[in-house]
Amino acid sequence: SGTIEAYSSETITVKKKLLKEDKKTVITIKTKNEDLQLPVAIKGFKGMEVVYVTGGEFEMGATEEQGDDVNEEREKPVRTIRLDSYYIGKYEVTQAQWQAVMGQNRYGYEYGKGDDYPVYYVSWSDAQEFCKKLSEATGKKYVLPTEAQWEYAARGGNKSQHYKYAGSDDPDEVAWYNGGEFGTVHPVGQKKANELGIYDMSGNVEEWCSDWYGKYDEKDTDNPQGPAEGYVSQRVYRGGAWDDGSAYNCRVSSMHGVSPDGAIWNSLGFRVVYLP
């Protein structure tokens, strides 16, 4: 509390414990003419939950349970990949989390709006900027998952039951897609989690990965970072989405690429990886 005189400025530092029921934090400054409602910029990250993924070895690509109708060029041959341990977002990054870190809303939430809805209309560069700001605010290293990290987590890591989708062989149990629910994004965490307790890695919104979209070096098997460059400069996205006409793209090995800055659409978001 205090007095701010007209035509002067003052920096005010406020510490407030955030509660689960807090939707936003606002300071009210009373003046003679009006009450000013000032939103507080939250340093750090509100509401982030991550899941520890124990490193290990797995078969990446079109393994037997993925079926015969696969992308021959990208999903084959199957490769044995070895990964160090890491943390990955339990949920896709939400609109409230985006607001807290970036200080602004995205445009065009006509396909689903709310604190617990995943953020979408996000380019690869937007997602990278989010990770940068989150890292600066927390002093921790947040990044987009590599394609290998994404697939290993989607498959259930060292607890994998070798499902076709992230947590089930029945896409309707784990994924929002056109076959299960038409016409909208859904709040995160509404379907069944996978073996690691991670939600929505099949369906809801597609998710950016850090890798270039291109042909992999079959010898690059230890913590692979992907190709050195991509087909027509595309980046990888994974997981399928609410507007897919079938569950085909929701498979754990399904992979696609698109321009990192040209792709800003209503079914493309991301989740983060935290590197200890």
Side-chain angles (χ1 to χ4, degrees):
S1 62
T3 301
I4 301 177
E5 296 181 358
Y7 308 111
S8 68
S9 64
E10 182 178 346
T11 299
I12 302 174
T13 300
V14 176
K15 292 184 178 180
K16 180 181 186 300
K17 183 177 180 180
L18 294 175
L19 304 176
K20 288 184 178 179
E21 58 267 23
D22 285 345
K23 295 298 182 182
K24 58 184 178 179
T25 301
V26 175
I27 295 174
T28 300
I29 296 181
K30 295 182 177 296
T31 71
K32 292 181 179 179
N33 298 321
E34 61 179 332
D35 291 349
L36 303 178
Q37 305 291 324
L38 304 181
V40 177
I42 302 169
K43 184 176 182 180
F45 196 65
K46 180 182 178 183
M48 166 62 76
E49 293 185 61
V50 292
V51 172
Y52 184 70
V53 183
T54 302
E57 191 173 279
F58 78 107
E59 300 299 303
M60 182 174 177
T63 46
E64 184 177 358
E65 80 284 341
Q66 297 302 297
D68 297 325
D69 183 21
V70 299
N71 185 322
E72 293 285 338
E73 185 174 0
R74 284 283 295 166
E75 297 181 52
K76 291 185 176 181
V78 174
R79 309 187 315 282
T80 301
I81 299 296
R82 288 173 289 277
L83 292 175
D84 295 334
S85 300
Y86 57 99
Y87 293 85
I88 194 168
K90 185 175 183 178
Y91 307 106
E92 294 157 330
V93 171
T94 66
Q95 294 172 19
Q97 292 165 349
W98 179 273
Q99 171 72 29
V101 174
M102 304 298 284
Q104 61 182 8
N105 288 318
R106 299 302 296 165
Y107 50 82
Y109 279 149
E110 69 272 22
Y111 292 94
K113 182 178 181 180
D115 286 353
D116 294 329
Y117 282 77
V119 67
Y120 50 95
Y121 286 124
V122 177
S123 72
W124 185 87
S125 297
D126 290 334
Q128 291 282 50
E129 183 65 17
F130 177 94
C131 291
K132 177 184 176 183
K133 288 190 174 184
L134 177 57
S135 297
E136 291 172 347
T138 61
K140 300 178 180 180
K141 186 176 182 180
Y142 287 93
V143 295
L144 288 178
T146 66
E147 192 171 16
Q149 287 172 331
W150 190 97
E151 185 169 322
Y152 183 54
R155 287 178 175 272
N158 64 355
K159 298 181 180 180
S160 177
Q161 296 297 307
H162 306 289
Y163 293 126
K164 187 172 185 176
Y165 308 98
S168 179
D169 286 326
D170 178 359
D172 292 331
E173 285 190 334
V174 295
W176 297 111
Y177 69 103
N178 256 1
E181 183 73 15
F182 179 79
T184 185
V185 181
H186 289 265
V188 298
Q190 301 298 301
K191 292 277 189 172
K192 176 185 173 183
N194 78 349
E195 299 94 315
L196 293 175
I198 305 171
Y199 292 86
D200 298 312
M201 295 200 82
S202 289
N204 213 12
V205 295
E206 295 149 332
E207 301 177 15
W208 284 113
C209 294
S210 62
D211 306 34
W212 287 108
Y213 180 79
K215 186 172 179 57
Y216 280 84
D217 180 353
E218 294 180 28
K219 296 180 181 179
D220 184 17
T221 58
D222 291 349
N223 297 302
Q225 302 299 304
E229 58 185 16
Y231 300 141
V232 293
S233 299
Q234 295 181 344
R235 293 285 183 175
V236 170
Y237 64 93
R238 302 291 298 264
W242 63 270
D243 59 352
D244 280 321
S246 74
Y248 174 81
N249 291 329
C250 297
R251 295 176 299 105
V252 293
S253 69
S254 178
M255 51 189 72
H256 299 276
V258 72
S259 168
D261 294 311
I264 305 176
W265 59 57
N266 57 21
S267 59
L268 185 52
F270 67 107
R271 75 179 69 224
V272 296
V273 157
Y274 160 53
L275 299 176

